[in-house]
Amino acid sequence: MTLPSAATLWASLPVPAILIDGGDLALDLNPAAELFLNMSARSLVGQPVFDRLAVDAPLEEVFARVRANSASLFINDVDVGTGERAPVTCNLQAAPLADAPGTILLMISPREFAERLGRGQGMKSAARSAIGMAEMLAHEIKNPLAGITGAAQLLSMNLGPEDIELADLIVAETRRIVKLLEQVEQFGNLRPPEARAVNIHDVLDRARRSAMLGFAAHMTIQEDYDPSLPPTRGDADQLLQVVLNLLKNAAEAAKGRPGTIRIRTFYDHALRLRRADGSGTSLPLQIEVTDDGPGIPAEIAEAIFDPFVSGRENGTGLGLALVSKIVADHGGWITADSVPGRTTFRLSLPVAPKPEEGF
């Protein structure tokens, strides 16, 4: 067996890593660090690390101890940020590089990454339990609502002008509830995905054109695509529903004012999702939908994908829960990263197997 080269190992590291010389200048970043810091290696190499990286810890002292003792040091629960993104709580490891005196390898492990993966494992079963209960309640509630609507309409035939308005209100409100219940039933009856090879850019283009002709007509939609992405495995119609829901969520965040939505696709070979049985699935295809709205309210940020959780007045809380369920059914993963002025939903999907491998 031929061992992989150092360059291959460096590029394959699943956690952000930075090589730092004896003068605390950046020597190199791996792809995971470029993605995490939202900056290219070219822009950071040769620059003082502390000019571009904001770390809530005395790293100068840490580096000095690592160099003096030639031993690794760990720092837990440290906020790491840049001018391009909000601080994220991470665990850091600083280690001396063999055969390179003074050079340090700094590895950054975002704690939110592991926590979100853990939440993602339970997301599918929790959503299904809530959906099942909601579907049962919807079925039971619709029958008496039909009786209430009919009774109100009969009463209005014998009422005076002042009371007819109240009867009409009863009819209008019961119809609104029925419409909501029908959404719940549709949510619960989602069919399993019909898996086949899907060009994700075709899906994104359909969603963009539909959004621009309707709910996102007041928005500017920018595209930043990697045309070399291979197809994913999934149901094109369900993936279209996912993207449309994300675009609608981004458009509604602007509250009728002009805004910008950016759709970005790229490849991240380091991302893997571990299943409950211990097996792992690679999720290299990345789709990001970013808006410049006010952001997700802090009080619901941790539960944004749960059914019936909404940050909008009169929102049903079903849109993002439906997105979560579809993504989970496709073996994928979705996260949200939000600060005022920038909210990004990131969808990670598997690559379609080669034809000879089957589905």
Side-chain angles (χ1 to χ4, degrees):
M1 177 180 176
T2 304
L3 293 176
S5 66
T8 300
L9 291 173
W10 177 247
S12 301
L13 277 177
V15 296
I18 307 174
L19 280 178
I20 302 168
D21 70 9
D24 292 339
L25 303 180
L27 292 173
D28 199 6
L29 282 75
N30 71 339
E34 290 182 298
L35 181 63
F36 174 73
L37 298 174
N38 196 26
M39 64 177 66
S40 67
R42 180 179 299 178
S43 67
L44 187 62
V45 168
Q47 301 297 317
V49 173
F50 302 116
D51 286 355
R52 304 295 299 276
L53 193 64
V55 181
D56 186 22
L59 280 192
E60 296 93 335
E61 298 178 15
V62 171
F63 289 174
R65 291 172 59 188
V66 170
R67 292 179 177 121
N69 301 326
S70 297
S72 301
L73 283 179
F74 293 85
I75 312 172
N76 295 325
D77 300 332
V78 175
D79 287 340
V80 179
T82 68
E84 300 294 330
R85 62 167 297 163
V88 174
T89 302
C90 303
N91 297 330
L92 306 181
Q93 180 179 4
L97 201 66
D99 301 327
T103 302
I104 289 176
L105 172 63
L106 178 65
M107 290 187 291
I108 306 170
S109 300
R111 199 175 68 182
E112 64 167 0
F113 187 81
E115 290 175 349
R116 286 179 176 175
L117 275 178
R119 289 198 300 270
Q121 297 295 337
M123 191 180 296
K124 188 174 180 179
S125 59
R128 282 182 172 168
S129 297
I131 291 165
M133 179 179 294
E135 191 176 8
M136 179 192 68
L137 288 173
H139 178 74
E140 294 299 324
I141 293 172
K142 282 178 69 178
N143 289 333
L145 280 177
I148 293 172
T149 302
Q153 289 173 329
L154 289 173
L155 284 173
S156 65
M157 297 171 63
N158 300 309
L159 293 176
E162 295 182 358
D163 294 328
I164 286 179
E165 184 178 352
L166 296 176
D168 290 344
L169 177 62
I170 294 173
V171 173
E173 288 300 297
T174 52
R175 285 177 176 169
R176 185 178 66 84
I177 296 172
V178 168
K179 186 176 180 180
L180 174 59
L181 294 175
E182 287 173 347
Q183 292 180 37
V184 172
E185 288 182 325
Q186 180 185 9
F187 185 61
N189 288 331
L190 185 68
R191 59 180 171 79
E194 297 179 3
R196 57 173 57 91
V198 176
N199 184 329
I200 194 63
H201 292 126
D202 289 344
V203 172
L204 293 174
D205 187 56
R206 288 172 58 193
R208 179 191 59 79
R209 286 188 281 113
S210 177
M212 291 302 295
L213 292 174
F215 56 79
H218 61 295
M219 304 292 287
T220 298
I221 298 183
Q222 300 175 346
E223 299 166 315
D224 182 8
Y225 294 165
D226 179 354
S228 68
L229 290 188
T232 187
R233 177 184 60 194
D235 186 310
D237 289 337
Q238 291 190 16
L239 291 174
L240 176 63
Q241 188 171 9
V242 166
V243 179
L244 281 173
N245 280 356
L246 293 179
L247 290 177
K248 185 177 182 181
N249 195 72
E252 290 179 344
K255 298 181 179 179
R257 295 186 295 270
T260 300
I261 301 173
R262 181 179 181 230
I263 309 174
R264 178 189 177 213
T265 64
F266 58 100
Y267 196 89
D268 182 3
H269 58 78
L271 187 58
R272 296 182 63 85
L273 181 65
R274 184 168 296 278
R275 297 192 181 100
D277 60 5
S279 62
T281 302
S282 179
L283 303 175
L285 304 184
Q286 313 299 319
I287 302 101
E288 289 185 344
V289 177
T290 301
D291 67 70
D292 54 1
I296 300 171
E299 61 271 17
I300 65 168
E302 295 297 318
I304 194 65
F305 295 109
D306 292 346
F308 313 113
V309 174
S310 176
R312 297 192 306 273
E313 186 178 355
N314 298 323
T316 63
L318 294 179
L320 290 178
L322 178 58
V323 164
S324 166
K325 183 177 184 297
I326 294 175
V327 172
D329 286 343
H330 279 73
W333 182 46
I334 186 167
T335 61
D337 184 14
S338 182
V339 294
R342 186 178 186 274
T343 296
T344 298
F345 286 90
R346 179 174 173 183
L347 172 62
S348 305
L349 294 171
V351 171
K354 295 179 181 179
E356 62 269 18
E357 295 176 7
F359 282 109

